[in-house]
Amino acid sequence: MMPENSSVTEFILAGLTNQPQLQMPLFFLFLGFYVVTVAGNLGLITLIGLNCNLHTPMYFFLYNLSFIDFCYSTVITPKMLMSFVSKKNIISYAGCMTQLFFFLFFVISESFVLSAMAYDRYVAICNPLVYTATISPQACLLLLLGVYVMGFAGAMAHTACMVRLTFCANRLVDHYMCDILPLLERSCTSTYVNELVVFVIVGIDIGVPTVTIFISYALILSSILRIRSTEGRSKAFSTCSSHVIAVSLFFGSGAFMYLKPPSLLPMNQGKVSSLFYTIVVPMLNPLIYSLRNKDVKAALKKTLSRKSLS
């Protein structure tokens, strides 16, 4: 992982803030967020695994969304917490590139799994008679394979471009994690290729899922408006509302961070924007999908009643 042209063997992560009075309050705040994230996502994974009535395509994708959220939160948050309790939050060059790769792999995979979920909802609401044939187990596996292939390809492209750079003696990375833009600021060599890759790949990884989701929900909305029954409309809206909330939070914060020129987005604002899709979204997703979902709540009650009886 350590290339010959790199002049550093480790980086120092600046963290979220350099104000001493905020370090411990922020440590406990983000520790609480991480505990909720782990408990929520692992709880949802366990609940879907244990309940046969949740073994459907919709919950298959939700299972993978929770797995991705748990993984990329775990890639970032523990190291971030270290910056609040240590004078220097040092990360090795290899560790930094590894964190960058897995962060990108999971965050890109999430963008495509959200688009797969939108397609699933489109077929379920607009073409319910062919839903079972269209969203078959084989189709689900192929969609999921595409999700992880896109995640791997995007992460490899960014990481390969990053390891070709020579980094300056100033090892301080002005961020709480090894992210693309803060690392590019530490490069002593031209970052033109990297910036071009960021623009193209991030454009694809945000653009393609966004267009897929937009078209899916435009067709869903058109279908819902044709439903005469108020109860039917309400059921259709409730089925999709959770997904719309999750998508808006994730893509909104990601686009704000990566699709603006660095000169228009100071790094401190970039850190705040990053918090949404790295810390807040993985924590909120299981809450959004469980609290607003009757099937999940029913499955939770059923599982808890089994445990109390046993």
Side-chain angles (χ1 to χ4, degrees), residues 32-252:
F33 283 175
Y34 183 58
V35 169
V36 172
T37 300
V38 171
N41 284 292
L42 290 184
L44 199 52
I45 288 169
T46 305
L47 195 64
I48 293 170
L50 291 177
N51 287 270
C52 295
N53 60 320
L54 298 182
H55 292 178
T56 63
M58 175 181 170
Y59 294 104
F60 172 75
F61 292 121
L62 183 54
Y63 182 99
N64 281 276
L65 178 66
S66 291
F67 170 73
I68 290 168
D69 280 338
F70 166 73
C71 288
Y72 88 76
S73 180
T74 300
V75 166
I76 293 162
T77 309
K79 193 63 182 172
M80 176 191 179
L81 293 173
M82 288 289 293
S83 66
F84 296 124
V85 295
S86 60
K87 290 183 179 180
K88 282 187 178 181
N89 189 15
I90 296 173
I91 185 169
S92 68
Y93 179 92
C96 187
M97 294 302 114
T98 301
Q99 186 189 56
L100 176 68
F101 173 82
F102 282 105
F103 159 65
L104 291 170
F105 171 70
F106 289 118
V107 82
I108 293 170
S109 297
E110 173 142 346
S111 69
F112 283 96
V113 84
L114 287 171
S115 63
M117 292 171 74
Y119 176 67
D120 170 73
R121 291 300 84 207
Y122 156 71
V123 178
I125 292 172
C126 299
N127 298 289
L129 296 178
V130 297
Y131 178 75
T132 305
T134 305
I135 311 294
S136 63
Q138 293 82 3
C140 288
L141 289 173
L142 285 174
L143 282 170
L144 192 64
L145 178 63
V147 164
Y148 289 123
V149 165
M150 291 301 294
F152 180 79
M156 277 298 295
H158 284 299
T159 309
C161 287
M162 194 64 69
V163 298
R164 57 178 282 278
L165 298 177
T166 299
F167 293 98
C168 302
N170 183 358
R171 300 172 297 154
L172 184 65
V173 177
D174 189 16
H175 214 288
Y176 56 84
M177 65 176 183
C178 289
D179 200 359
I180 299 169
L181 300 182
L183 285 172
L184 293 182
E185 290 186 350
R186 298 275 67 86
S187 174
C188 296
T189 50
S190 172
T191 59
Y192 174 77
V193 173
N194 297 70
E195 290 168 9
L196 185 63
V197 169
V198 168
F199 184 77
V200 171
I201 293 183
V202 173
I204 292 170
D205 294 339
I206 291 180
V208 171
T210 301
V211 169
T212 303
I213 291 166
F214 179 80
I215 292 173
S216 296
Y217 278 100
L219 294 170
I220 287 169
L221 182 62
S222 173
S223 180
I224 288 172
L225 293 176
R226 290 199 298 268
I227 299 174
R228 296 182 179 180
S229 157
T230 306
E231 184 182 349
R233 284 188 185 184
S234 176
K235 186 177 179 182
F237 272 120
S238 66
T239 302
C240 299
S241 59
S242 301
H243 189 220
V244 170
I245 294 168
V247 165
S248 301
L249 284 170
F250 181 76
F251 284 107

